[in-house]
């Protein structure tokens, strides 16, 4: 069954240099810890090495310019000491040496998984996995986190599953319990006991019945589209959210929302943040075109694709948004829809000849070309001003000899 993807209007906060990496693919996801997480997770957030990547970004020309901007400088002068004090206290309470949080923890992987709320409940289940590097460091982090969550030992109880012990914190109010443990070099935190025990079964006993993220085709497909050096990446398992969305929309309106009828066609979506000497936010949605109405499929195909105006981002841009639109197809579809609506209103009513001629002439002008628009915020002596680029180019590539009019 054919599957098509829709690259969202590729949000680019700033690009310095080429963007050929957009077409690169990464390898399959590592077994740890994705082979431990259930395939029915609704959202998966992966944070990779945030400390080194953020430090490299702040030391880049863009990072230095951002820190020199008046708004950023004032914010850091006000909140910088508070943040340093907070992280110092956090390291102390977690039993870490000064600087160990950044050097040993923020240089590794954090995975957050969220499950949709079951019927009759308002909140879903959450699982957090933090790679601490070694089993010993994970145990120390778990002991420190126990004190950080609540110091009263009477609210904590120790439990065991197949010889593997973990702690359970029972809040005094009617709130979900907090389960805290370790799995190899990972610190594990969740709010649902079957999640933790299922994770331990996959990790410790090797129980793989095709029900883990590592064996989920859509997750593997999305991971391969993930760009190298992505610091934060989110995967949305859209089919598992359909029952929850339908339950929440029932009773609010006597009619089913039109967008809900399109939900069965959606496969997955992803959103990533990439930090190098620049910052990029990119996203993708994948759907099954055979499950979409023909008109909806045509509109989605008209706005699908990567922005082609990235090379025209001004050198002094602080933020920019690039998008790809097939204006010819969009205008063609809109014109056909307007004509069809007019014919339904009155069989005698037709589009005025002059308007029809103008639309056809414009469509003929756009037909052999593609369009891309760019909106950027430019740094003018520490202040921001709005700039824009609108260009029309042949479908093959943008011309190298000239740039769009600004």
């Amino acid at each position: 069954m054919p599957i098509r993807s829709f690259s969202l209007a590729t949000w680019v906060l700033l690009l310095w240099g080429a963007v050929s990496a957009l077409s690169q693919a990464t390898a399959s996801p590592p077994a740890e810890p994705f082979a431990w997480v259930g395939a029915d997770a609704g959202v998966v957030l992966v944070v990779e090495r945030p400390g080194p990547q953020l430090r490299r970004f702040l030391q880049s020309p863009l990072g230095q310019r951002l820190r020199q901007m008046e708004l950023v400088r004032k914010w850091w002068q006000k909140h910088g000491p508070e943040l340093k004090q907070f992280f110092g206290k956090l390291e102390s309470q977690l039993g870490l040496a000064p600087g160990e949080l950044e050097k040993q923890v923020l240089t590794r992987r954090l995975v957050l998984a969220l499950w949709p709320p079951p019927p009759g409940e308002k909140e879903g289940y959450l699982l957090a996995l933090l790679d601490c590097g070694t089993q010993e460091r994970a145990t120390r982090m778990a002991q420190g986190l126990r004190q950080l969550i609540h110091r009263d030992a009477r609210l904590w109880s120790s439990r065991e599953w197949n010889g593997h012990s973990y702690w359970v914190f029972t809040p005094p109010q009617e709130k979900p319990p907090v389960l805290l443990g370790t799995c190899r070099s990972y610190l594990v935190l969740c709010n649902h006991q079957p999640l933790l025990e299922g994770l331990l079964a996959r990790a410790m006993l090797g129980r793989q019945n095709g029900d883990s993220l590592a064996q989920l085709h859509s997750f593997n497909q999305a991971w391969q589209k993930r760009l190298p050096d992505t610091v934060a990446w989110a995967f949305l398992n859209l089919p598992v959210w359909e029952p929850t969305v339908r339950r929440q929309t029932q009773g609010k309106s006597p009619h089913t929302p039109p967008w809900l009828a399109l939900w069965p066609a959606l496969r997955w979506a992803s959103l990533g943040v990439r930090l190098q000497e620049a910052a990029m936010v990119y996203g993708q949605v994948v759907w099954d075109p055979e499950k979409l109405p023909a008109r909806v499929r045509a509109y989605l195909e008209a706005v699908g694709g990567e922005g082609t105006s990235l090379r025209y981002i001004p050198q002094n841009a602080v933020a920019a948004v690039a998008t790809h639109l097939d204006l010819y197809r969009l205008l063609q579809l809109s014109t056909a829809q307007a004509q069809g609506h007019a014919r339904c209103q009155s069989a005698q009513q037709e589009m005025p000849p002059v308007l029809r001629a103008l639309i056809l002439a414009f469509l003929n002008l756009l037909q052999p070309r593609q369009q891309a628009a760019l909106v950027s915020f430019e740094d003018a002596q520490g202040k921001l001003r709005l700039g824009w680029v609108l260009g029309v180019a042949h479908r093959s590539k943008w011309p190298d000899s000239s740039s769009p009019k600004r």
Side-chain angles (χ1 to χ4, degrees):
M1 185 175 293
I3 301 295
R4 293 188 180 178
S5 63
F6 167 49
S7 295
L8 298 174
T10 308
W11 298 294
V12 181
L13 301 183
L14 185 75
L15 289 178
W16 289 74
V19 292
S20 58
L22 283 171
S23 60
Q24 297 176 5
T26 57
S28 300
E32 293 185 5
F34 302 112
W36 309 342
V37 182
D40 56 346
V43 179
V44 180
L45 174 65
V46 183
V47 181
E48 297 271 8
R49 304 175 66 248
Q53 296 204 54
L54 181 60
R55 185 165 54 250
R56 180 177 60 178
F57 173 71
L58 292 177
Q59 292 173 352
S60 68
L62 171 60
Q64 294 177 5
R65 287 170 53 203
L66 289 176
R67 286 187 294 177
Q68 292 172 359
M69 294 183 65
E70 184 178 359
L71 181 64
V72 177
R73 189 172 62 252
K74 286 184 177 180
W75 185 93
W76 179 251
Q77 289 175 352
K78 181 178 180 181
H79 300 285
E82 298 176 1
L83 288 176
K84 292 181 179 179
Q85 185 178 11
F86 168 77
F87 282 109
K89 289 184 177 180
L90 183 62
E91 285 180 328
S92 176
Q93 293 176 340
L94 291 177
L96 301 176
E100 190 176 2
L101 182 64
E102 178 185 359
K103 295 178 181 178
Q104 302 294 341
V105 179
L106 297 182
T107 59
R108 301 186 184 277
R109 176 184 294 130
L110 169 67
V111 177
L112 297 175
L114 174 67
W115 278 258
E121 298 188 19
K122 295 182 179 180
E123 298 181 356
Y125 303 134
L126 179 66
L127 172 68
L129 294 160
L130 175 63
D131 186 4
C132 300
T134 64
Q135 174 71 46
E136 179 185 1
R137 189 178 294 119
T139 302
R140 282 197 294 120
M141 287 280 292
Q143 293 171 349
L145 195 57
R146 278 187 60 190
Q147 299 297 319
L148 189 62
I149 294 175
H150 207 288
R151 293 182 177 273
D152 191 347
R154 294 172 298 179
L155 300 178
W156 287 94
S157 60
S158 178
R159 297 187 186 178
E160 191 172 290
W161 183 89
N162 271 21
H164 191 90
S165 60
Y166 59 91
W167 295 290
V168 178
F169 170 70
T170 306
Q173 298 86 5
E174 294 184 0
K175 294 182 179 180
V178 177
L179 290 84
L180 176 63
T182 62
C183 183
R184 298 179 184 174
S185 65
Y186 279 82
L187 174 71
V188 183
L189 187 71
C190 70
N191 61 353
H192 190 51
Q193 184 173 348
L195 285 184
L196 178 59
E197 295 183 352
L199 180 146
L200 294 175
R202 297 185 187 96
M204 300 301 183
L205 304 181
R207 293 179 182 174
Q208 296 292 333
N209 301 317
D211 61 345
S212 70
L213 281 177
Q215 297 168 302
L216 184 64
H217 174 71
S218 58
F219 182 78
N220 280 271
Q221 187 182 27
W223 186 272
Q224 291 172 1
K225 298 291 185 180
R226 178 176 172 269
L227 300 184
D229 297 322
T230 295
V231 63
W233 180 80
F235 167 77
L236 282 73
N237 192 1
L238 295 175
V240 305
W241 288 98
E242 184 177 355
T244 303
V245 173
R246 290 189 180 277
R247 286 198 307 268
Q248 294 181 350
T249 54
Q250 287 176 353
K252 294 184 178 181
S253 173
H255 305 289
T256 302
W259 56 266
L260 190 57
L262 306 178
W263 199 281
L266 300 176
R267 291 299 183 91
W268 57 266
S270 68
L271 187 69
V273 178
R274 190 183 187 195
L275 287 180
Q276 289 182 322
E277 291 187 352
M280 175 190 294
V281 181
Y282 62 94
Q284 191 173 39
V285 178
V286 173
W287 69 86
D288 184 352
E290 294 184 357
K291 295 183 179 180
L292 288 173
R295 185 177 300 277
V296 175
R297 184 169 63 248
Y299 272 105
L300 289 178
E301 290 175 349
V303 298
E306 296 174 357
T308 53
S309 58
L310 301 179
R311 71 178 64 183
Y312 298 109
I313 295 178
Q315 289 295 321
N316 61 339
V318 174
V321 178
T323 182
H324 167 84
L325 298 174
D326 190 337
L327 293 181
Y328 172 72
R329 174 169 287 193
L330 284 175
L331 289 172
Q332 195 177 42
L333 292 171
S334 301
T335 302
Q337 185 176 8
Q339 289 178 330
H341 179 72
R343 285 194 294 268
C344 292
Q345 294 294 326
S346 173
Q348 305 299 324
Q349 183 180 0
E350 293 185 0
M351 186 176 295
V354 176
L355 180 59
R356 180 191 298 271
L358 290 175
I359 292 177
L360 289 178
F362 189 52
L363 291 177
N364 289 332
L365 175 66
L366 296 178
Q367 185 171 7
R369 306 170 185 270
Q370 70 176 8
Q371 296 75 40
L374 173 75
V375 178
S376 66
F377 296 92
E378 300 175 21
D379 181 12
Q381 297 179 351
K383 298 181 180 180
L384 296 179
R385 68 181 180 88
L386 180 65
W388 60 271
V389 177
L390 176 61
V392 179
H394 289 283
R395 292 185 183 275
S396 58
K397 63 179 181 178
W398 281 84
D400 294 330
S401 58
S402 61
S403 61
K405 181 179 293 186
R406 294 186 55 205

